[in-house]
Amino acid sequence: MSTHARTPATTAADDRLPISVTNRVADALAVIEAPDVVLAVSRRGRRTMMTAGTRTPPTTTPPRTPRDELRYEIGSLTKTFTVLLLADLARAGVLSLDDPLAAQLPALPLPHPDSRRITLRHLATHTAGLPRIPGDLLPGALLHPYTSGYARYDTERLLRTFARTRPRHRPGTRWHYSNFGVALLAPAMARASGTDYPTLLTTRVLRPLGLTGTTPGPAHTTVSAIGHRKDGRTPAPAMDMGAFIGCAGVHSTPGDLLTYAEAHLTPEATPLSLPLRDVQIPQLRCGRRHRETHTLTWYHHPTPNGPLLFHSGATFGQQTFLGFHPPTGTAVAAVATRRGHNCTLVPTAYDLLYSLACDVEDVGRTR
C-alpha cells in the first residue's frame, strides 16, 4: 500500500484495460496531495482502482482498513441518490415530479404564495428559489466551522423554517444551488410513501443496485474514513446531517460509487432502468449566460464525443467526485480525506474523465 500520493498502488485492476488508461489514472493520482485518496475508473465494464496518500498506516494491530474499503462521507453527491429515489417513486406512481411540495406536506402553513408553487421538480433541480442553507444555520457555521449544526437540525425545524422562508424568486425561473431545497425532498417522499427516507433509499435504490457498502447516515466507526483539519493532525468531526440527510448524509465505498456510476451507463442491466434514464435527461440551462446544462440531478457538460455527467461533494474533512460518459462507457469515481479545504481531487478527477471521454481510440482495445 502506498504511503505517498506520488507512488500509487493498484488495488484492483482488470488487465484488459489499455495501459494508457491505467497510466492516466496513476498520473492523476500522483498530483492529488491527501492523507487518503482513491481513484477508480470503469471503461466498458473493465475496472481499475488505485489508492495512495500521505498518511502512514499505523504499526499497531489490528491493521488499518485499506483505503479502498473505507466508507467515505460523499457530501452533496448524496443528492444524486435522493433524486434517483424521487424518480423511482414517480415511475411507481407514488408521487409526481410536478406535485407541489405543499400537497405532500398538507399540514404545513405556507403564508408566501411562491412557497405554495414549489414543486418536487423545482427542489431537485435547484429552481425553487430557496437559499443555499437556512438562515438560522449561518451563525453557527461561521462561528464554529468544524462543528456541524446539521446534527441538531431535525425535520420539524426544517419544515418550520421553510414555512417562514420567502423564496427569492418565482419557482422555476432561476437556478440557485440549494441544500435547503433538496433536504425538503426527504420528508416529502416519506409523507407520500409512508416510509422514512433511510428505509426508502435502502430498499428502493441501494439494494436493487447491489450497493452493500453504501449507507444513509453515519457509517460504522471501524470502517469510516477520517478527514483532518488544516493542521493535518486534528481529526475533523464525523458528519451527522440530521434533517439534511437527503442532501449530504450518505456514506459509500469507492467500489460502490463506481458500481453506481456503471448503473447509469447501462440502466437496462438494472432493476431501475427507467429512473436511471430519467435522471440523465437535460432539464434546464443554468450558470453564467445559461452556458450550463443540468438534468434532474447531474451537471451535464459537452465533450467532442457527447455529453459527460458529474457531481461532486465535500464535508469538513472529505471530498468526492463521480462522473460518467455514456458514449464511451466511461466512469470515474474519486474519494479523498483532506486537510482543511485544500484538495485538488475534484478538478483532477474531472480532467481525467474529460480526457478519457475525448479519447475513443482505447474503447474496446486490449493491451
Side-chain angles (χ1 to χ4, degrees):
M1 183 70 66
S2 168
T3 59
H4 193 277
R6 300 191 183 281
T7 53
T10 302
T11 59
D14 186 327
D15 61 6
R16 293 174 296 173
L17 268 175
I19 195 168
S20 61
V21 174
T22 56
N23 285 344
R24 290 189 198 184
V25 177
D27 290 344
L29 194 66
V31 302
I32 303 171
E33 286 289 332
D36 302 287
V37 58
V38 183
L39 271 180
V41 171
S42 176
R43 188 86 152 172
R44 302 290 191 195
R46 303 165 184 174
R47 289 180 161 198
T48 187
M49 186 178 296
M50 298 185 186
T51 72
T54 56
R55 180 160 63 95
T56 304
T59 57
T60 58
T61 56
R64 183 172 63 86
T65 302
R67 290 181 172 102
D68 56 308
E69 296 179 15
L70 292 171
R71 292 188 184 182
Y72 293 80
E73 298 170 349
I74 68 171
S76 286
L77 187 54
T78 297
K79 294 177 175 67
T80 69
F81 287 86
T82 297
V83 178
L84 178 59
L85 172 60
L86 178 70
D88 179 59
L89 291 173
R91 281 289 180 176
V94 176
L95 47 72
S96 167
L97 294 176
D98 296 311
D99 282 344
L101 176 60
Q104 300 300 344
L105 304 170
L108 191 65
L110 298 175
H112 304 301
D114 280 345
S115 296
R116 296 193 289 272
R117 297 187 180 100
I118 293 174
T119 67
L120 304 183
R121 189 190 301 271
H122 293 148
L123 297 175
T125 57
H126 304 286
T127 57
L130 296 174
R132 188 180 186 96
I133 63 174
D136 56 352
L137 263 176
L138 284 172
L142 294 174
L143 293 174
H144 307 287
Y146 283 101
T147 301
S148 175
Y150 293 103
R152 299 180 298 277
Y153 213 105
D154 60 20
T155 299
E156 181 180 354
R157 182 179 173 186
L158 177 72
L159 297 179
R160 189 170 61 245
T161 301
F162 168 64
R164 65 172 182 263
T165 299
R166 182 189 297 273
R168 295 178 173 179
H169 53 76
R170 186 181 178 88
T173 60
R174 297 182 186 179
W175 185 91
H176 181 79
Y177 191 85
S178 176
N179 289 329
F180 190 4
V182 176
L184 288 164
L185 286 174
M189 292 188 291
R191 169 66 168 69
S193 65
T195 306
D196 63 89
Y197 170 83
T199 302
L200 277 175
L201 187 68
T202 300
T203 58
R204 300 192 70 102
V205 174
L206 303 183
R207 287 178 187 168
L209 295 182
L211 305 179
T212 58
T214 304
T215 56
H220 193 278
T221 55
T222 61
V223 294
S224 297
I226 300 174
H228 295 81
R229 300 188 183 187
K230 291 181 179 180
D231 61 11
R233 299 183 303 274
T234 307
M239 292 294 288
D240 180 347
M241 295 303 298
F244 289 78
I245 184 174
C247 74
V250 167
H251 292 66
S252 189
T253 62
D256 264 17
L257 290 178
L258 197 59
T259 297
Y260 178 56
E262 289 171 336
H264 288 77
L265 292 172
T266 56
E268 67 280 358
T270 78
L272 299 177
S273 59
L274 293 178
L276 283 165
R277 292 185 187 281
D278 290 341
V279 298
Q280 298 184 53
I281 298 172
Q283 296 285 310
L284 67 145
R285 304 285 293 178
C286 61
R288 188 176 181 183
R289 297 182 180 177
H290 295 275
R291 292 176 178 172
E292 303 285 339
T293 300
H294 203 277
T295 73
L296 271 178
T297 188
W298 297 97
Y299 295 96
H300 182 283
H301 281 189
T303 79
N305 296 320
L308 64 81
L309 296 91
F310 72 99
H311 209 293
S312 63
T315 63
F316 291 138
Q318 300 180 41
Q319 200 161 45
T320 58
F321 172 91
L322 189 66
F324 54 95
H325 184 244
T328 58
T330 303
V332 172
V335 295
T337 58
R338 59 180 181 168
R339 302 182 186 90
H341 298 289
N342 296 321
C343 183
T344 61
L345 180 91
V346 171
T348 302
Y350 178 92
D351 288 346
L352 173 63
L353 175 60
Y354 189 91
S355 70
L356 292 172
C358 291
D359 181 6
V360 296
E361 293 182 2
D362 289 328
V363 178
R365 183 191 296 174
T366 58
R367 285 188 179 191

